[in-house]
Amino acid sequence: MESTYDYDDTVKHQQQQTDLGYDPNFVPDSVKSFVVHLYRHIREKNVYEIHQMYEGSFQTLSDRMFKESPWPSVDAISQYVDQDHVFCLLYREMWFRHLYARLSPTLKQRIDSWDNYCSLFSVVLHGVVNMQLPNQWLWDMVDEFVYQFQSFCQYRAKMKNKTEQEIALLKQFDQAWNVYGVLNFLQALVEKSQIIQILDQEKEGLEQFTATDGYDYNGGSNVLKVLGYFSMVGLLRVHCLLGDYQTGLKCLLPIDISQQGVYTSVIGSHITTIYHYGFANLMLRRYTDAIREFNKILLYIYKTKQYHQKSPQYEQILKKNEQMYALLALCLSLCPQVKLVEETVNSQLREKYGEKMIRMQRHDEEAFALYDELFSYACPKFITPSPPILEEPLVNYNQDAYRLQLKLFLYEVKQQQSLAGVRTFLKVYSTISVGKLATYMEVDEPTLRTILMTYKHKTHAIDPDGKVISTADVDFFLDDDMIRVIESKPAKQYGDYFLRQIVKLEGVMTDMDRIRLE
Amino acid sequence: MGREQPQQQAQPPSQMSYTVEQLVALNPYNPDILPDLENYVNEQVSSQTYSLDANLCLLRLYQFEPERMSTQIVARILVKALMAMPAPDFSLCLFLIPERVQMEEQFKTLIILSHYLETARFRQFWDEAAKSRHIVEVVPGFEQAIQAYAIHVLSLTYQKVPRPVLAEVANSGWILEKVHGRGHQLIVLPRNEFNHPEVKKSAGESVPLDHITHVRLTYAPAMPATL
């Protein structure tokens, strides 16, 4: 079709074919059918069908035909979908996501993907979108957005082997994946959707959101609201990547993680939320909060992972599962509150990290190496948000952020070094004099006093309301020279037992009633 | 000596601090507010107030644009954070400060001071603080704030503390003077649930009301409810 193209276009077209090794304009029939049907389902707001196609058909086609090449370009398929602007943005988002997952994006592609997100989010923020999309898709958008930002920062920080074209492009498109842009988009989605107010009003029964899983049954769109909701998790994640754990947790506050919610409607969102929540609490020294949440989610994954075996997220689920066991091991080594951990989770933990945890309690050189190992394995991929200095000499600084967080974490571990020793003795004695304990621990008395005070300080955290909470498994107080260990009798939980028996009894009575009526 | 007024006295919020807090809450990812946040740090220092959120916001902006960082302001933020102990604010700030900045002399000193406080080495702390007056005395209320922290740790640990220990921890020669000639004396610390286990409110079980109503409703009995 020479007549429809310029000479330049033809050359470029042929060039592309040889460069890329595939033809971006070739649309196989299955793809044509895919976009036509998806487009129709979106127009008809058939969320169930959209979800089937999004989770199912897209993956199947990707596996079958696009294992090593991208999907056809958006320009090639737009003719089958009435050139619909919004559909094209959605298609492109999936296109880039596929690219990142299966192939390696070039710098130009990274920049183009950023542009696409800008357009897509702008459309949503203007409130002109009238679709209902499955939560899985909406979560994936936010998740991918943050992931591509993280990936870009990592890529950008490896300056050593950058070509001249790459450096020129970086200079030219310095707004792409700019940290301000990323954060402001997420913040804008939260604000424009008014999701925080919606969640507040829901508590008073004035709104329905969680009850409908975020879907709008009044003919409206769920897209802005749910994107706003997931953006709160997105903000938590970005702040963790920057090392600002306090603000990250603040961004998550409107979501009540002690309950089910829209965040649990998608397993990826559930895991990401709890993983980052737990990690942030670990760095904030709120060990018991982290342990509780890790325990819950690890138990949940244990029970439900078989149902996700076929899903494209399965690998990610397993990876995060392993990382959270490592984080749990870290938390428990610093704050041995084993009774907070459920039986199943505990046995899994022992299997994976039992031996290492014993060695970590010794707080010697080997122990620090283990703390280092587990932290490095399980931590998020921290980023340096500032743009590189594009002058000689070019260095790689992509590890800087991670090294800082690791260093500060190990610093904290070191400060708690003496506590393990104290714990051992406190478990054995009910009273012991400062002098005697000092002798056993081979330190002088003043040093022992500081160790005891350190123990108290480190095991008494400040909760978000400013109250002092004890996280000590074994506690004591000092009466001048005598250390008196505080007996902690585990509180007998009668209430639970009685409730269970009541339910059982009522069940039996109901059964008996039934018998009589027959 | 009794207990000094703990921490920083709250002053009525000035016009500027009200606006800055709003900025931090509504528009935190905005490079234009950097000068406001810097001024706010100085205001916190002079009026003996404190805002962790605003300071974290500023440290983040410094992270985004390192060429705009003012080490003087960062040092002040860190001193303020130290004064907020036992809260872990100092660590939270360190997480956001690049390693090469932390290698500078004044920051190394502050980190050492924090280390001494975290590990209850009060004698070493006061010695080092005396050597580094130029860093810590820039911020009024520093000594009182640290003394409050020291008392806090003591009251977690001791029912009765020997006077010399108290004096050393709280850096108050006043106490030792009074003791002179009266020999070893014990100070009784206020009772709280951490140094007096019997004071601790019973962990008590709470069975939420809705658990019980749920049980009743699920198995609505054939007989009339008699509650």
Side-chain angles (χ1 to χ4, degrees):
Chain A
M1 299 229 270
E2 297 278 285
S3 51
T4 39
Y5 292 106
D6 263 350
Y7 172 73
D8 283 327
D9 271 354
T10 321
V11 170
K12 204 166 58 167
H13 182 78
Q14 283 164 350
Q15 193 71 37
Q16 262 185 326
Q17 272 181 288
T18 38
D19 276 348
L20 299 167
Y22 77 99
D23 179 3
N25 293 316
F26 169 61
V27 183
D29 278 338
S30 44
V31 173
K32 175 177 168 192
S33 160
F34 173 81
V35 297
V36 165
H37 283 111
L38 184 60
Y39 178 54
R40 179 162 59 87
H41 291 315
I42 291 179
R43 275 198 345 270
E44 292 171 1
K45 289 191 176 180
N46 190 333
V47 175
Y48 177 76
E49 287 296 334
I50 299 173
H51 190 245
Q52 292 297 102
M53 295 198 70
Y54 174 80
E55 275 269 283
S57 325
F58 187 76
Q59 297 306 322
T60 324
L61 287 174
S62 296
D63 282 335
R64 218 181 343 128
M65 297 195 295
F66 304 111
K67 259 198 151 85
E68 278 156 33
S69 64
W71 277 60
S73 75
V74 70
D75 296 324
I77 58 105
S78 60
Q79 57 182 297
Y80 304 120
V81 293
D82 302 334
Q83 323 273 2
D84 186 288
H85 177 58
V86 177
F87 184 86
C88 288
L89 292 173
L90 291 172
Y91 179 83
R92 278 197 104 201
E93 200 267 331
M94 290 164 72
W95 191 94
F96 280 111
R97 199 156 4 109
H98 167 84
L99 184 83
Y100 268 81
R102 311 264 180 160
L103 306 154
S104 245
T106 64
L107 174 54
K108 187 68 177 48
Q109 284 168 333
R110 290 179 190 270
I111 294 171
D112 287 341
S113 179
W114 163 257
D115 279 334
N116 194 56
Y117 274 117
C118 287
S119 307
L120 181 56
F121 288 150
S122 299
V123 162
V124 172
L125 284 166
H126 276 114
V128 294
V129 149
N130 195 25
M131 317 175 278
Q132 286 246 73
L133 293 178
N135 286 347
Q136 177 74 56
W137 194 346
L138 294 169
W139 162 252
D140 283 343
M141 271 189 225
V142 175
D143 192 38
E144 183 70 16
F145 180 64
V146 177
Y147 166 70
Q148 290 191 12
F149 168 60
Q150 173 196 301
S151 168
F152 183 80
C153 289
Q154 296 282 343
Y155 160 84
R156 184 176 60 177
K158 295 188 206 147
M159 289 304 296
K160 245 205 228 158
N161 297 323
K162 291 272 182 291
T163 65
E164 280 203 22
Q165 293 110 303
E166 282 174 317
I167 297 182
L169 264 180
L170 280 173
K171 275 197 185 133
Q172 186 189 1
F173 293 102
D174 58 356
Q175 286 311 301
W177 297 112
N178 181 285
V179 66
Y180 286 116
V182 171
L183 284 167
N184 280 314
F185 263 125
L186 292 171
Q187 178 79 355
L189 285 167
V190 172
E191 265 165 36
K192 201 78 203 290
S193 64
Q194 300 192 303
I195 185 66
I196 299 180
Q197 291 89 312
I198 292 177
L199 289 172
D200 267 338
Q201 291 183 317
E202 185 173 50
K203 287 194 200 125
E204 309 183 13
L206 299 167
E207 273 275 357
Q208 275 222 317
F209 181 75
T210 311
T212 60
D213 257 354
Y215 292 108
D216 188 310
Y217 292 123
N218 300 321
S221 162
N222 72 334
V223 173
L224 177 58
K225 274 189 285 189
V226 176
L227 279 180
Y229 182 90
F230 285 136
S231 291
M232 291 191 281
V233 182
L235 282 168
L236 165 64
R237 194 167 153 201
V238 174
H239 284 285
C240 285
L241 292 174
L242 297 171
D244 187 355
Y245 309 106
Q246 172 92 350
T247 313
L249 287 176
K250 248 188 144 191
C251 293
L252 188 70
L253 261 183
I255 298 181
D256 181 359
I257 58 167
S258 69
Q259 311 258 7
Q260 302 274 5
V262 174
Y263 77 102
T264 54
S265 66
V266 177
I267 182 130
S269 144
H270 192 184
I271 291 178
T272 303
T273 306
I274 302 300
Y275 166 82
H276 288 94
Y277 174 87
F279 187 83
N281 275 290
L282 168 65
M283 299 305 269
L284 276 155
R285 302 188 220 152
R286 296 200 200 130
Y287 303 117
T288 45
D289 286 340
I291 293 170
R292 278 196 195 99
E293 289 305 320
F294 283 141
N295 177 57
K296 267 178 19 200
I297 189 105
L298 288 169
L299 187 60
Y300 177 75
I301 295 175
Y302 182 79
K303 288 187 181 153
T304 59
K305 66 177 178 220
Q306 50 187 318
Y307 304 119
H308 295 276
Q309 264 172 356
K310 298 281 171 59
S311 109
Q313 291 104 24
Y314 191 56
E315 250 181 65
Q316 253 303 306
I317 295 173
L318 292 181
K319 173 99 200 266
K320 278 279 171 294
N321 188 52
E322 292 305 305
Q323 286 179 315
M324 288 193 285
Y325 270 110
L327 292 178
L328 183 59
L330 286 174
C331 290
L332 286 170
S333 299
L334 292 167
C335 174
Q337 291 268 24
V338 186
K339 60 175 158 39
L340 291 175
V341 183
E342 208 266 349
E343 197 43 57
T344 324
V345 175
N346 200 18
S347 64
Q348 288 280 304
L349 182 66
R350 295 289 144 212
E351 224 180 272
K352 296 175 204 281
Y353 292 110
E355 211 210 289
K356 289 194 174 156
M357 281 173 74
I358 296 175
R359 285 171 16 217
M360 274 154 70
Q361 301 274 26
R362 291 198 203 121
H363 281 272
D364 51 18
E365 274 314 306
E366 197 204 343
F368 288 126
L370 286 170
Y371 274 102
D372 186 328
E373 180 193 313
L374 264 64
F375 183 89
S376 304
Y377 170 67
C379 68
K381 290 213 161 34
F382 302 108
I383 55 171
T384 307
S386 54
I389 308 166
L390 296 172
E391 279 131 29
E392 300 294 320
L394 298 174
V395 290
N396 283 357
Y397 62 93
N398 57 310
Q399 295 274 18
D400 286 4
Y402 148 72
R403 270 205 297 263
L404 175 63
Q405 302 299 315
L406 172 65
K407 177 176 167 190
L408 292 171
F409 175 72
L410 290 177
Y411 195 64
E412 177 65 33
V413 171
K414 202 147 202 227
Q415 283 180 351
Q416 301 202 21
Q417 191 172 14
S418 48
L419 306 189
V422 172
R423 229 176 236 124
T424 326
F425 284 104
L426 291 179
K427 284 203 169 125
V428 176
Y429 289 91
S430 58
T431 51
I432 179 170
S433 72
V434 171
K436 236 199 220 155
L437 183 54
T439 319
Y440 291 157
M441 288 184 69
E442 296 174 6
V443 295
D444 60 24
E445 274 193 40
T447 308
L448 179 63
R449 285 184 194 274
T450 59
I451 293 175
L452 292 172
M453 284 197 284
T454 309
Y455 182 91
K456 279 294 202 170
H457 166 59
K458 293 290 188 189
T459 58
H460 288 73
I462 309 287
D463 80 350
D465 299 314
K467 260 181 56 204
V468 180
I469 308 248
S470 166
T471 61
D473 55 329
V474 59
D475 213 344
F476 66 92
F477 63 90
L478 271 169
D479 189 353
D480 182 18
D481 240 35
M482 288 306 286
I483 304 166
R484 298 189 199 281
V485 178
I486 298 171
E487 275 280 353
S488 56
K489 288 193 219 43
K492 286 220 165 150
Q493 300 287 334
Y494 293 118
D496 230 23
Y497 177 77
F498 276 125
L499 274 176
R500 268 184 283 125
Q501 297 303 316
I502 291 171
V503 167
K504 244 196 209 163
L505 176 62
E506 305 241 14
V508 168
M509 281 160 52
T510 318
D511 286 344
M512 285 174 63
D513 268 341
R514 264 194 228 121
I515 296 171
R516 233 182 281 142
L517 287 171
E518 272 160 34
Chain B
M1 179 179 97
R3 298 185 75 134
E4 293 282 35
Q5 197 54 34
Q7 299 293 336
Q8 298 106 31
Q9 296 118 354
Q11 307 253 330
S14 71
Q15 187 55 40
M16 175 165 74
S17 60
Y18 180 62
T19 327
V20 171
E21 293 288 356
Q22 270 188 321
L23 283 175
V24 168
L26 299 172
N27 194 9
Y29 315 120
N30 177 1
D32 296 335
I33 68 173
L34 194 144
D36 295 297
L37 292 172
E38 284 180 332
N39 291 338
Y40 193 43
V41 172
N42 291 327
E43 187 184 295
Q44 288 174 53
V45 168
S46 56
S47 65
Q48 297 201 46
T49 50
Y50 179 58
S51 169
L52 175 65
D53 285 337
N55 295 347
L56 287 177
C57 188
L58 178 56
L59 289 175
R60 272 201 313 267
L61 294 182
Y62 282 156
Q63 227 193 4
F64 300 164
E65 296 176 84
E67 63 285 359
R68 291 173 82 181
M69 176 186 279
S70 151
T71 48
Q72 195 197 47
I73 298 274
V74 175
R76 293 200 178 152
I77 292 178
L78 285 177
V79 175
K80 280 303 228 179
L82 215 49
M83 289 159 69
M85 285 192 76
D89 296 6
F90 192 83
S91 313
L92 298 185
C93 294
L94 280 189
F95 287 134
L96 296 172
I97 300 172
E99 208 172 336
R100 52 175 171 78
V101 174
Q102 292 188 30
M103 305 286 247
E104 287 178 28
E105 222 30 68
Q106 58 173 337
F107 295 111
K108 283 216 278 219
T109 309
L110 285 169
I111 291 173
I112 291 175
L113 288 175
S114 155
H115 179 71
Y116 286 148
L117 288 179
E118 286 285 340
T119 52
R121 291 189 174 94
F122 291 103
R123 187 177 52 78
Q124 290 96 316
F125 170 81
W126 292 116
D127 286 343
E128 186 65 41
K131 282 192 265 174
S132 322
R133 279 189 207 283
H134 57 289
I135 300 177
V136 297
E137 274 182 3
V138 184
V139 182
F142 181 76
E143 194 177 349
Q144 294 93 307
I146 305 299
Q147 282 170 336
Y149 164 66
I151 304 291
H152 159 81
V153 176
L154 277 181
S155 62
L156 284 179
T157 318
Y158 287 90
Q159 273 189 3
K160 303 197 191 80
V161 61
R163 245 181 231 272
V165 173
L166 174 58
E168 176 180 278
V169 161
N171 193 42
S172 181
W174 180 101
I175 294 179
L176 277 174
E177 280 162 34
K178 287 272 175 168
V179 168
H180 193 67
R182 289 223 265 167
H184 187 71
Q185 264 236 345
L186 295 175
I187 311 286
V188 178
L189 289 170
R191 291 161 66 96
N192 59 50
E193 65 184 272
F194 304 109
N195 61 13
H196 277 80
E198 60 271 17
V199 171
K200 187 170 183 170
K201 301 172 199 76
S202 62
E205 255 188 289
S206 44
V207 180
L209 181 61
D210 49 272
H211 282 194
I212 300 182
T213 51
H214 177 77
V215 168
R216 297 252 79 198
L217 287 172
T218 314
Y219 296 94
M223 50 220 156
T226 48
L227 287 173

